[in-house]
Amino acid sequence: MRKLLNTLFVTTPEAYLSLDGENIVIFKEKERLGRVPLHNLESIVTMGYTGASPALMGACMKKNISLVFLSSSGRYRGRVIGESRGNVVLRKKQYHISENEKESCKIARNFIIGKLYNQRWMLERMTRDHALRINVDQFKLISSELKQFIVNVRENEDLESLRGIEGQAATRYFLLFDQMILQQKEDFGFYGRNRRPPLDNVNAMLSFAYTLLANDVASALETVGLDAYVGFLHRDRPGRVSLALDLMEELRGIYADRFVLTLINKKILSSKDFIHKENQAVILTENARKKIISSWQEKKQEKIQHPFLNEKIQWGLVPYSQALLLARFLRGDLDEYPPFLWK
């Protein structure tokens, strides 16, 4: 159980939520895990729940507190809410900004700043921890280039130009990705990003990790009342969760890429976990997917210090914290959207 920005997150599996007076009470079987007053809550998010009492649902609807249900893996199931006031205003603001490219760019560039900052942190961390196993000069050069790209992004007011800078930066960053693979080099060589379909083991893992991250971010956005399909950097396309792709940019390197590197370097996956098709496509075996999802769920339980909120939270709550901050910015409670800048 964790309270974050007036939102209560119940992450304990098989928790049952009930009402006692003006308080929500959380039980697991017959054990009471916690008790929180309702009066200062905006939302309650429960993951892998056993159930919620009708009395609690009624109280939440009366007080306009959204009660959100997610699966144990974080997939969005639905939301119980009373009269839709705040969400309508929030989504209208989102739609209005998405139609204005200049205003969209102001938000989109913060997503990219977060992405480049975190990728640069990864490169600097490698030069510190593995200086004898990498080309330090090359890492330092590309790190300085990413620093300059961040400056260019801050000054940018055009979406198309912003996408161009992001693409150049991604190309430079991925030049070093192969050196960050420290184990199983014969089976996990990386020679550039490719997808649809992935053509090697590493790209197959990256694509799957990005899919998991996109699902988590989309759930987070829907949880706070935003439309995951209407973005600012990624434009509207039927069936594409454009805002989720926007928000996950800052988490790609620090969350998904590092996760894939850990799976390889700790030998959690091996060459036996992949199937090479006749058309050169590489896919994960069913067992490999299970291992990745299990490790992903374990990763989400790790505690970190959120750099902006300055609170300890689980990694799995980072998409929700960023979605909450984005919603607060759109409501006018924050002057600027604060990207997740890992330290």
Side-chain angles (χ1 to χ4, degrees):
M1 186 175 71
R2 174 71 188 173
K3 186 180 174 187
L4 185 66
L5 294 174
N6 294 328
T7 296
L8 178 67
F9 292 90
V10 182
T11 57
T12 304
E14 300 176 357
Y16 182 81
L17 315 181
S18 66
L19 182 71
D20 182 11
E22 294 293 309
N23 303 283
I24 176 176
V25 184
I26 299 96
F27 291 94
K28 183 176 181 182
E29 296 177 350
K30 294 183 179 181
E31 179 187 0
R32 191 171 81 172
L33 302 180
R35 178 187 179 96
V36 179
L38 287 174
H39 71 270
N40 59 353
L41 290 178
E42 295 177 357
S43 181
I44 301 166
V45 180
T46 178
M47 303 180 182
Y49 73 105
T50 297
S53 71
L56 176 63
M57 292 185 185
C60 288
M61 287 188 285
K62 183 178 179 181
K63 296 177 181 293
N64 202 34
I65 299 171
S66 64
L67 180 55
V68 182
F69 299 106
L70 307 176
S71 70
S72 58
S73 63
R75 185 175 292 276
Y76 180 80
R77 282 176 167 169
R79 175 172 55 228
V80 175
I81 193 168
E83 184 181 354
S84 296
R85 294 176 294 212
N87 286 347
V88 169
V89 175
L90 177 62
R91 289 201 175 197
K92 285 183 70 175
K93 180 74 170 180
Q94 177 189 355
Y95 299 150
H96 175 73
I97 292 178
S98 72
E99 293 296 324
N100 185 317
E101 289 211 2
K102 187 172 182 179
E103 292 300 311
S104 292
C105 189
K106 291 178 182 178
I107 303 174
R109 62 191 180 196
N110 279 15
F111 297 142
I112 301 304
I113 286 171
K115 178 179 184 176
L116 301 185
Y117 180 98
N118 292 330
Q119 287 178 339
R120 185 167 181 260
W121 177 89
M122 289 174 63
L123 301 187
E124 292 294 331
R125 180 76 177 263
M126 285 295 296
T127 61
R128 186 191 74 186
D129 295 345
H130 303 286
L132 299 179
R133 304 186 66 178
I134 63 171
N135 185 330
V136 173
D137 291 339
Q138 192 178 16
F139 270 69
K140 288 293 185 182
L141 172 62
I142 292 182
S143 176
S144 66
E145 291 177 352
L146 293 183
K147 184 178 181 180
Q148 183 57 50
F149 281 133
I150 292 173
V151 174
N152 296 343
V153 168
R154 283 200 180 104
E155 298 171 350
N156 195 282
E157 295 185 352
D158 177 72
L159 276 178
E160 197 59 39
S161 176
L162 182 63
R163 294 187 190 103
I165 295 172
E166 187 277 331
Q168 293 177 57
T171 299
R172 300 300 289 164
Y173 162 78
F174 276 120
L175 282 176
L176 303 178
F177 200 81
D178 186 64
Q179 293 188 55
M180 290 190 271
I181 299 171
L182 305 176
Q183 302 290 336
Q184 307 187 88
K185 297 287 288 186
E186 65 281 1
D187 296 318
F188 291 93
F190 182 83
Y191 310 105
R193 182 77 180 109
N194 53 66
R195 51 196 180 276
R196 301 189 192 96
L199 302 177
D200 56 64
N201 296 349
V202 179
N203 275 290
M205 294 172 69
L206 286 172
S207 292
F208 191 57
Y210 292 157
T211 297
L212 293 175
L213 181 58
N215 288 337
D216 286 349
V217 174
S219 290
L221 292 166
E222 294 289 344
T223 294
V224 304
L226 287 165
D227 189 335
Y229 289 85
V230 179
F232 304 118
L233 176 65
H234 295 83
R235 309 313 288 172
D236 297 348
R237 182 184 297 173
R240 182 169 75 175
V241 283
S242 296
L243 187 59
L245 296 177
D246 286 357
L247 192 62
M248 69 179 276
E249 288 291 354
E250 59 205 69
L251 300 177
R252 281 182 185 268
I254 202 67
Y255 199 122
D257 293 357
R258 287 179 73 218
F259 172 74
V260 167
L261 290 168
T262 297
L263 293 178
I264 298 171
N265 291 332
K266 289 190 174 182
K267 301 182 179 180
I268 296 171
L269 262 67
S270 70
S271 59
K272 297 178 181 178
D273 291 305
F274 301 86
I275 299 171
H276 293 252
K277 309 287 280 187
E278 291 182 1
N279 64 351
Q280 297 187 320
V282 178
I283 62 174
L284 292 154
T285 66
E286 185 63 27
N287 187 54
R289 289 172 181 267
K290 290 178 180 178
K291 286 194 285 187
I292 292 176
I293 290 171
S294 176
S295 297
W296 185 264
Q297 293 304 107
E298 290 177 10
K299 170 73 174 177
K300 287 161 69 172
Q301 300 305 313
E302 294 176 9
K303 294 285 187 70
I304 63 161
Q305 186 85 2
H306 193 285
F308 180 79
L309 300 175
N310 199 29
E311 293 186 43
K312 280 197 171 182
I313 64 172
Q314 296 169 333
W315 260 117
L317 293 184
V318 171
Y320 295 90
S321 70
Q322 296 310 117
L324 285 165
L325 291 169
L326 179 59
R328 287 201 162 196
F329 164 70
L330 293 175
R331 288 192 180 107
D333 298 334
L334 294 173
D335 293 333
E336 189 174 14
Y337 166 71
F340 183 84
L341 303 177
W342 188 232
K343 299 177 181 178

